[in-house]
Amino acid sequence: MKTLEAAAQWYVDLARGTEAMREAHRQWLHDDPRHAQAWGRVERLQAAFGQLDARVARPALQSSRAKRREVLKVLALLIGSSALLSIGARTDPWRKMMADYATGTGERLPVTLSDGSRIVLNTGTALNISFDENLRRVVLREGEVFIQTAPDPLARPFIVRTAFGDLRALGTRFLVRINPASARVSVLEHAVELRSPLPGSTPVRINAGQQLDFSSTVAGVPVPLAKGADAWRNNLLVVSDWRLGDVIAELSRYRAGHLGCDAGVAELRISGSFQLGDIDVVLDNLSAMLPIRLRRFTRFWAQVEAV
């Protein structure tokens, strides 16, 4: 496995194309027959696909973390079959490993794209970037992002692709969130256009101060933007007359393990601002404000219930 991973590493490194790198690679091939054997698998893979997607080994990797993901992608192709990939792609850890950028529970990650656009990934997010001479595309697999697009000298459209439809930025700042059966776009500046895959649907424009929920079966209509929609960028959850059950569901996105809410207290209403840095502190504060208690079985399993 280590030799095969080294071959994947060489594939990514050689995309940089320096003569010193190529000479080091030739030396590596001669150091051990197993190296040549592993590299042969890379060459057979290239022959089978014609040429590996340039995004798998792009020359300008933006960080060691991004580079590590590229190596893992090549390694997955080397050791896997199509069946393995199709099974693994349905699992959360695999999607994150294969993503260009990803965050774990409670993490946030700012990213500057090659065109100058900025993206901030919220907790539990995975996305891929696909830029070419005609199109700037971000494929949001899961989670939530803030996007601020930059002007493009090539006038390429900026598209965010989700499983429920494509969003075209019209010079803007906006949020996109993937939920289990739908997605939401929230526009902070200018406008975004939804293109739904539903038969007979027409593009829907969402202007600044509006949000839109859409799914595989419903295109939705724009409604006023929810207060505090982008507060998570400042590590805050802002709620106004929310059900406690909805508050706990939102907090659970930022806390590892299970966090549930008993139906007997789920309809309690609450407003306020809460720091997302330590969810257990927020839960203790809620317990002091409301007739509820937090029952913990382990650090990864907690339930909010009536006192």
Side-chain angles (χ1 to χ4, degrees), residues 122-203:
N122 197 8
T123 178
T125 296
L127 60 82
N128 292 92
I129 309 296
S130 175
F131 281 19
D132 59 30
E133 63 274 13
N134 299 313
L135 185 66
R136 298 176 291 170
R137 180 186 291 122
V138 173
V139 182
L140 183 58
R141 304 295 185 187
E142 59 183 307
E144 183 176 21
V145 291
F146 163 81
I147 298 176
Q148 181 173 346
T149 59
D152 184 45
L154 301 177
R156 295 171 296 176
F158 191 107
I159 303 295
V160 178
R161 171 153 294 176
T162 76
F164 310 104
D166 288 356
L167 298 161
R168 177 169 179 164
L170 304 176
T172 187
R173 295 185 302 123
F174 62 108
L175 309 164
V176 186
R177 174 168 167 171
I178 304 296
N179 295 310
S182 65
R184 170 177 292 180
V185 56
S186 304
V187 182
L188 306 173
E189 185 178 81
H190 298 304
V192 170
E193 185 179 81
L194 168 67
R195 293 182 178 270
S196 171
L198 294 172
S201 62
T202 59

Side-chain angles (χ1 to χ4, degrees), residues 18-299:
T18 66
E19 182 56 38
M21 187 69 72
R22 287 190 287 271
E23 178 58 36
H25 175 248
R26 285 192 287 267
Q27 184 60 51
W28 177 78
L29 288 175
H30 286 95
D31 284 344
D32 191 317
R34 291 172 296 182
H35 296 174
Q37 184 179 18
W39 189 250
R41 293 183 64 173
V42 173
E43 292 177 326
R44 288 193 295 275
L45 182 66
Q46 286 181 289
F49 283 89
Q51 182 178 3
L52 288 181
D53 192 322
R55 288 171 293 172
V56 173
R58 57 183 180 272
L61 297 168
Q62 295 177 331
S63 68
S64 59
R65 183 177 181 181
K67 180 177 177 181
R68 178 60 178 164
R69 290 203 181 96
E70 305 308 320
V71 172
L72 290 172
K73 289 178 185 180
V74 178
L75 181 63
L77 290 172
L78 289 171
I79 66 174
S81 64
S82 58
L84 174 62
L85 290 173
S86 64
I87 293 170
R90 294 194 294 269
T91 68
D92 181 70
W94 185 265
R95 280 199 303 270
K96 285 186 169 57
M97 185 185 77
M98 297 299 288
D100 290 329
Y101 299 99
T103 53
T105 301
E107 293 181 340
R108 275 173 290 277
L109 176 67
V111 175
T112 300
L113 303 182
S114 60
D115 68 334
S117 297
R118 294 194 308 114
I119 296 182
V120 182
L121 286 71
N122 197 8
T123 178
T125 296
L127 60 82
N128 292 92
I129 309 296
S130 175
F131 281 19
D132 59 30
E133 63 274 13
N134 299 313
L135 185 66
R136 298 176 291 170
R137 180 186 291 122
V138 173
V139 182
L140 183 58
R141 304 295 185 187
E142 59 183 307
E144 183 176 21
V145 291
F146 163 81
I147 298 176
Q148 181 173 346
T149 59
D152 184 45
L154 301 177
R156 295 171 296 176
F158 191 107
I159 303 295
V160 178
R161 171 153 294 176
T162 76
F164 310 104
D166 288 356
L167 298 161
R168 177 169 179 164
L170 304 176
T172 187
R173 295 185 302 123
F174 62 108
L175 309 164
V176 186
R177 174 168 167 171
I178 304 296
N179 295 310
S182 65
R184 170 177 292 180
V185 56
S186 304
V187 182
L188 306 173
E189 185 178 81
H190 298 304
V192 170
E193 185 179 81
L194 168 67
R195 293 182 178 270
S196 171
L198 294 172
S201 62
T202 59
V204 179
R205 182 184 175 100
I206 308 97
N207 293 312
Q210 295 181 322
Q211 66 186 39
L212 174 73
D213 291 340
F214 56 100
S215 70
S216 299
T217 57
V218 178
V221 294
V223 299
L225 185 66
K227 180 181 178 181
D230 66 334
W232 59 265
R233 294 197 294 136
N234 296 314
N235 206 34
L236 289 173
L237 172 63
V238 176
V239 302
S240 178
D241 195 35
W242 281 31
R243 295 173 59 256
L244 178 62
D246 294 334
V247 174
I248 297 304
E250 190 68 15
L251 292 175
S252 71
R253 298 174 61 215
Y254 300 88
R255 184 183 187 277
H258 169 81
L259 175 61
C261 184
D262 188 81
V265 295
E267 298 303 320
L268 293 173
R269 313 299 293 194
I270 188 168
S271 300
S273 299
F274 305 97
Q275 291 284 340
L276 293 171
D278 191 332
I279 301 304
D280 284 327
V281 170
V282 175
L283 295 171
D284 290 339
N285 290 337
L286 289 175
S287 298
M289 296 166 54
L290 300 169
I292 61 174
R293 67 172 182 173
L294 183 66
R295 188 158 57 103
R296 294 181 175 93
F297 288 96
T298 72
R299 59 178 296 196

